[in-house]
Amino acid sequence: MKKNLIVGQSGGPTAVINCSLYGVVSEGERQENVDKVYGMVNGIEGFLKGNYLDFAAMDSKEKLLYTPGAFLGSCRYKLPEDFADPVYPEIFKKLEEMNIGYFCYIGGNDSMDTVSKLSRYASSVKSDIRFIGVPKTVDNDLVMTDHTPGFGSAARYVAQTVREITRDASVYDKEAVTIVEIMGRHAGWLTAAGMLARQQGDRNPYLIYLPEVAFDVERFIRQIQEAMKECKALVVCVSEGIRDQDGTFICEYDSEAAVDNFGHKMLTGCGKYLERLVQNRLGVKVRSVELNVSQRCSAALMSKADQKEAVEAGMFGVKAAVSGETGKMAAFSRKGSAPYEMECTLQDVNLICNQEKTVPKEWIIRDGSDVSQDFMEYALPLIQGRIDLPEDEFGLADFVRR
Amino acid sequence: MKKNLIVGQSGGPTAVINCSLYGVVSEGERQENVDKVYGMVNGIEGFLKGNYLDFAAMDSKEKLLYTPGAFLGSCRYKLPEDFADPVYPEIFKKLEEMNIGYFCYIGGNDSMDTVSKLSRYASSVKSDIRFIGVPKTVDNDLVMTDHTPGFGSAARYVAQTVREITRDASVYDKEAVTIVEIMGRHAGWLTAAGMLARQQGDRNPYLIYLPEVAFDVERFIRQIQEAMKECKALVVCVSEGIRDQDGTFICEYDSEAAVDNFGHKMLTGCGKYLERLVQNRLGVKVRSVELNVSQRCSAALMSKADQKEAVEAGMFGVKAAVSGETGKMAAFSRKGSAPYEMECTLQDVNLICNQEKTVPKEWIIRDGSDVSQDFMEYALPLIQGRIDLPEDEFGLADFVRR
């Protein structure tokens, strides 16, 4: 008997979260056991308010393949721990009314928590609705998968942009430090991608700091002084999440001192703090650059490899649901790096949610100021390939909107 | 009699300043009257220290066509007003020793000042060395030219990136304001390019503020409130140079209050200030994004039209010098916008330097919060076309370094 499929997106967007959506929708439409394909608008939170759409009515679905943001809209909504909460029967009543047999949720850590809870609740009430997670996060911090869709594109953005910034920073015949602040509050995967910016014969960006190693201000200043002996226009990559030995975020260092005109503590990024620190301590010209949301929404620098895998993860998730799986996440298993070979696998979503995968300590070298070749081997295949962005009448990327 | 040509780059880099360099060098090598083509390293300042190179020794010059930054290095060096200063005979002695007949200087306002002074000094000492300026600046603020090389690529970057940010900002079902801070201290050309981000049927980014019109905080808050009635996830573009009726930069509003841990005034951008202002006044979620140096160094979003014209300006400058012109700048004259047609002309560099072209007041509409269709007609031809970035073994743009 045919059942309907519903898909949602949750958490922060990535450049390729809509590619996974495309994978889910196109595979759903292809499967004989799937009747209609619905989309929750604004995730499970919107679904609870009755917001959804029918993909049969959507034109030009292929535009999803290069549209950043979350086409369906997203939410940050945590289901209660207590299965006695009335929200659970409410959700399942709605799902049954819509004759849903397959539920795919595209997201990160918190979204996998939703999949975990719904699949466990389903089992407790003997519902046969199948719940499958499709991973996404630029942070690359999900366990039990080699990497996550979204990371490759963000890493390509970081690598190419830091390379461009390095050219820009090197034009004057003056000592100068450029500090690039990169996303990743707990895991340094994306900041590590700064190393890929290095060109043959050039070690700039010289210094790279991840949150996995305690940040020491004095060591940082020493390392900058050392590096400036070799390189006049130094480029430094720092993770937004670097913190000291006591666990205090470096970006919090200023917040005691600085109060804005509204009487509130001024929270700036660690890049801005370090900019002032280096300026004060070394008296050189310093600029900080926060790469900001473009890391997760640059279509122009999307990685083709990432785009392809994001679609595959979505398709694989649907196939798994249709074949009877539930409470699982579509994951990636690497068969080799040279040549790169990847295989989709299923992992228990209960073992994934609320865990965090950080950069291996042994990949962090030079007294916490650089990343080893292991990272390069790991990351290079994921950032390969450029996509051709179809353009609208203005000559800019022609994105799709809901 | 054959003479040598020397070329320099000066001021802040752009995405295509090396395209103009390519134009100068390739045309110089093509001209029968030109013997050697030299490059000053770090502009006139480096030249005075004896730093230059011979382009005959350079491989893969075509990489200049997509390498951001200034290949030759740049400087910020203002020649003295007084022609009796010993630096003038010093420069001319060096030029004569190198048998220079043609001097091309690629830069903005200040660089045209250098061309103006050197050509006037040459005339006063009856030197027949010819001095020609080749324009560049992302700010697009040079007079007597329709636009400047560098602006089209920066505008393409702004338009495409703001469009991506608008997708990213629209994922949650919550009132939110995203403030994008765009380069341009005195002229709003680049900020105006935010309007090109609008897609068919979407007015977001809703509000655009240029430095040409006095910024009023209360009016700004009212306009945000009005716009939020129509659009939940508001995107606002502001120029870094917006200032109030008294000429005070908005980015200076906080500097009295905020002192960092080093006891120094904290200067943040106007985006950060407005972020806190809107948060405090309207209680909505606000994020500010400073586009920063990528506006002037993104190779990935270089405009093909800009690239082509930057090369042409360089070639035209050399042809002008060889044909006997001096004290002139290669400029653009627009013959039409639809279809777009542009012609190189020569303009008197003395009328260009130290002037500033701002966005016409009549193009700024809706009580200083938007830009008219006139700007779109003007700017659209300049941002057209994507370039194919040749990649190195890491799959990233293969830039050339000195």
Side-chain angles (χ1 to χ4, degrees):
Chain A
M1 198 189 62
K2 280 195 174 194
K3 289 275 193 178
N4 298 326
L5 181 153
I6 195 161
V7 56
Q9 296 174 303
S10 165
T14 76
V16 301
I17 185 170
N18 289 327
C19 299
S20 290
L21 181 62
Y22 180 85
V24 169
V25 174
S26 59
E27 186 61 32
E29 290 174 340
R30 203 173 292 130
Q31 287 285 340
E32 282 195 359
N33 289 327
V34 174
D35 189 8
K36 292 188 168 185
V37 178
Y38 293 115
M40 301 173 224
V41 172
N42 292 114
I44 191 79
E45 192 177 18
F47 179 72
L48 276 165
K49 295 180 191 159
N51 295 333
Y52 62 88
L53 56 80
D54 185 342
F55 275 103
M58 180 184 178
D59 292 328
S60 48
K61 293 190 183 78
E62 69 290 345
K63 288 188 183 176
L64 290 170
L65 290 170
Y66 54 86
T67 296
F71 172 76
L72 287 172
S74 185
C75 70
R76 295 200 178 277
Y77 183 86
K78 207 170 160 74
L79 283 170
E81 301 296 327
D82 183 2
F83 283 161
D85 192 286
V87 75
Y88 287 102
E90 193 186 337
I91 291 171
F92 277 74
K93 184 162 168 276
K94 281 182 194 286
L95 291 173
E96 274 147 29
E97 280 168 7
M98 290 175 71
N99 195 32
I100 301 297
Y102 316 103
F103 180 111
C104 289
Y105 214 44
I106 309 169
N109 242 312
D110 293 340
S111 314
M112 294 310 134
D113 182 72
T114 299
V115 175
S116 161
K117 282 170 178 158
L118 291 177
S119 64
R120 283 184 285 134
Y121 181 84
S123 139
S124 76
V125 296
K126 309 259 185 290
S127 161
D128 60 359
I129 303 175
R130 293 146 191 184
F131 296 87
I132 294 288
V134 177
K136 74 85 212 161
T137 165
V138 296
D139 292 332
N140 201 38
D141 60 353
L142 294 185
V143 298
M144 305 189 76
T145 183
D146 179 75
H147 59 280
T148 51
F151 171 65
S153 294
R156 183 175 172 85
Y157 179 87
V158 167
Q160 168 80 25
T161 304
V162 171
R163 183 175 281 194
E164 291 167 345
I165 290 173
T166 304
R167 287 298 93 229
D168 184 89
S170 307
V171 305
Y172 295 111
D173 185 28
K174 263 184 206 157
E175 289 201 323
V177 178
T178 302
I179 298 169
V180 185
E181 182 184 326
I182 297 168
M183 276 182 173
R185 195 97 174 139
H186 302 287
W189 296 102
L190 205 46
T191 304
M195 87 171 289
L196 307 175
R198 289 176 190 149
Q199 288 195 260
Q200 201 66 266
D202 188 9
R203 243 195 60 197
N204 225 2
Y206 246 75
L207 302 167
I208 296 174
Y209 297 93
L210 313 189
E212 280 81 355
V213 168
F215 187 85
D216 181 272
V217 160
E218 295 309 319
R219 189 180 58 197
F220 172 70
I221 292 288
R222 272 200 314 276
Q223 288 170 332
I224 290 210
Q225 287 175 309
E226 274 307 304
M228 289 191 86
K229 289 179 192 164
E230 292 177 38
C231 175
K232 225 172 185 178
L234 203 65
V235 178
V236 180
C237 296
V238 296
S239 163
E240 60 175 341
I242 48 167
R243 65 208 95 153
D244 64 21
Q245 221 163 350
D246 304 325
T248 306
F249 285 107
I250 304 305
C251 64
E252 292 172 337
Y253 273 22
D254 247 346
S255 64
E256 281 166 50
V259 174
D260 67 16
N261 269 323
F262 311 103
H264 297 160
K265 281 183 182 180
M266 275 175 82
L267 268 176
T268 55
C270 67
K272 203 80 197 159
Y273 175 79
L274 295 174
E275 174 188 323
R276 289 191 299 264
L277 175 80
V278 176
Q279 217 148 36
N280 275 285
R281 292 287 293 274
L282 303 183
V284 294
K285 192 185 151 202
V286 193
R287 181 195 281 275
S288 68
V289 180
E290 188 185 347
L291 293 191
N292 220 311
V293 292
S294 286
Q295 290 166 92
R296 67 181 191 207
C297 69
S298 166
L301 283 168
M302 189 186 286
S303 141
K304 192 157 196 155
D306 190 28
Q307 182 194 49
K308 177 171 165 282
E309 291 185 348
V311 174
E312 284 171 4
M315 294 173 67
F316 190 78
V318 171
K319 287 181 201 157
V322 169
S323 76
E325 298 283 353
T326 188
K328 301 278 168 65
M329 185 187 85
F332 294 146
S333 165
R334 187 183 300 224
K335 298 294 153 205
S337 282
Y340 175 66
E341 212 185 319
M342 190 277 301
E343 200 176 85
C344 284
T345 63
L346 280 181
Q347 300 292 343
D348 186 346
V349 79
N350 303 297
L351 303 176
I352 294 168
C353 58
N354 310 316
Q355 300 294 316
E356 211 167 53
K357 188 178 70 179
T358 52
V359 177
K361 283 273 164 61
E362 60 274 22
W363 290 11
I364 303 172
I365 58 171
R366 296 176 60 223
D367 207 7
S369 70
D370 203 356
V371 181
S372 72
Q373 288 295 314
D374 304 272
F375 176 81
M376 180 167 278
E377 245 173 72
Y378 168 79
L380 264 190
L382 314 181
I383 69 162
Q384 296 305 306
R386 178 180 40 201
I387 64 157
D388 271 330
L389 278 177
E391 294 176 353
D392 67 4
E393 69 273 34
F394 303 120
L396 298 171
D398 187 19
F399 299 142
V400 65
R401 285 169 300 127
R402 201 173 65 236
Chain B
M1 198 188 61
K2 280 195 174 193
K3 289 275 192 176
N4 298 326
L5 182 152
I6 194 160
V7 55
Q9 296 174 304
S10 165
T14 77
V16 301
I17 185 171
N18 289 328
C19 298
S20 289
L21 180 62
Y22 179 85
V24 168
V25 174
S26 59
E27 186 60 34
E29 290 175 340
R30 204 173 291 128
Q31 287 285 340
E32 282 194 1
N33 290 328
V34 175
D35 188 10
K36 292 190 169 186
V37 178
Y38 294 114
M40 301 171 225
V41 172
N42 293 117
I44 190 79
E45 192 176 18
F47 178 71
L48 276 164
K49 294 181 194 158
N51 295 332
Y52 62 88
L53 55 79
D54 185 341
F55 275 103
M58 181 185 178
D59 292 329
S60 48
K61 294 190 184 78
E62 68 292 343
K63 288 188 183 176
L64 290 171
L65 290 170
Y66 52 86
T67 297
F71 172 77
L72 286 173
S74 185
C75 70
R76 294 199 179 278
Y77 183 86
K78 208 171 160 69
L79 283 171
E81 301 297 328
D82 184 2
F83 283 161
D85 194 285
V87 75
Y88 288 102
E90 192 185 339
I91 291 172
F92 277 74
K93 184 163 170 275
K94 281 183 193 288
L95 291 173
E96 273 147 30
E97 279 169 7
M98 290 175 72
N99 194 31
I100 301 297
Y102 316 102
F103 180 111
C104 289
Y105 213 45
I106 309 169
N109 243 312
D110 293 341
S111 313
M112 294 312 134
D113 181 70
T114 298
V115 175
S116 161
K117 283 170 177 157
L118 291 177
S119 63
R120 284 185 286 134
Y121 181 83
S123 140
S124 76
V125 296
K126 309 256 184 297
S127 160
D128 59 359
I129 304 175
R130 293 146 193 185
F131 296 87
I132 294 287
V134 177
K136 74 85 212 162
T137 165
V138 296
D139 292 332
N140 200 39
D141 59 353
L142 293 186
V143 298
M144 305 191 73
T145 181
D146 179 74
H147 58 279
T148 50
F151 171 65
S153 294
R156 183 176 172 87
Y157 179 86
V158 167
Q160 168 80 25
T161 304
V162 171
R163 183 175 280 192
E164 290 167 347
I165 290 174
T166 304
R167 288 298 93 231
D168 184 88
S170 307
V171 305
Y172 295 113
D173 185 27
K174 263 185 208 156
E175 289 199 322
V177 178
T178 303
I179 297 168
V180 185
E181 183 185 324
I182 297 168
M183 277 181 171
R185 195 97 174 139
H186 301 287
W189 296 102
L190 205 45
T191 305
M195 86 170 291
L196 308 175
R198 289 176 189 149
Q199 287 194 261
Q200 201 66 264
D202 189 8
R203 243 194 60 197
N204 225 1
Y206 246 75
L207 301 168
I208 296 174
Y209 297 93
L210 313 190
E212 280 82 355
V213 168
F215 188 84
D216 181 273
V217 160
E218 294 309 319
R219 188 181 59 197
F220 171 71
I221 292 289
R222 274 199 315 276
Q223 287 171 333
I224 289 209
Q225 286 174 309
E226 274 307 305
M228 289 192 85
K229 289 178 191 165
E230 293 176 38
C231 176
K232 228 172 183 176
L234 203 65
V235 178
V236 180
C237 295
V238 297
S239 163
E240 61 174 340
I242 48 168
R243 64 208 97 152
D244 65 21
Q245 222 163 349
D246 305 325
T248 306
F249 285 108
I250 303 305
C251 64
E252 292 173 336
Y253 273 23
D254 247 347
S255 65
E256 282 166 48
V259 174
D260 68 17
N261 268 323
F262 311 103
H264 296 160
K265 282 183 181 180
M266 275 174 81
L267 269 177
T268 56
C270 66
K272 203 80 194 159
Y273 175 80
L274 294 174
E275 174 187 324
R276 290 191 300 265
L277 175 81
V278 176
Q279 218 149 37
N280 276 285
R281 293 286 294 274
L282 304 182
V284 295
K285 193 185 150 203
V286 192
R287 180 195 281 274
S288 66
V289 181
E290 188 185 345
L291 294 191
N292 220 312
V293 292
S294 285
Q295 291 166 91
R296 67 180 192 208
C297 69
S298 166
L301 283 168
M302 188 187 286
S303 141
K304 193 159 194 155
D306 190 28
Q307 183 193 48
K308 179 171 164 282
E309 291 185 348
V311 174
E312 284 171 4
M315 294 172 66
F316 190 78
V318 171
K319 286 181 201 159
V322 169
S323 76
E325 299 282 353
T326 189
K328 300 280 168 65
M329 184 186 87
F332 294 147
S333 164
R334 188 185 298 225
K335 298 292 153 210
S337 281
Y340 174 66
E341 213 185 317
M342 189 276 300
E343 201 177 86
C344 283
T345 63
L346 280 182
Q347 301 291 345
D348 185 345
V349 80
N350 303 298
L351 303 176
I352 293 169
C353 59
N354 308 316
Q355 300 295 316
E356 211 167 53
K357 187 178 70 180
T358 53
V359 177
K361 283 272 163 62
E362 59 274 21
W363 290 10
I364 304 172
I365 56 171
R366 295 176 61 223
D367 209 5
S369 70
D370 202 356
V371 180
S372 71
Q373 288 295 314
D374 303 275
F375 176 80
M376 179 167 278
E377 245 173 72
Y378 168 79
L380 265 189
L382 314 180
I383 68 162
Q384 296 305 306
R386 181 179 38 205
I387 63 155
D388 272 330
L389 278 177
E391 293 176 352
D392 67 4
E393 70 272 34
F394 303 119
L396 297 171
D398 187 18
F399 298 143
V400 65
R401 286 170 297 127
R402 203 175 61 236

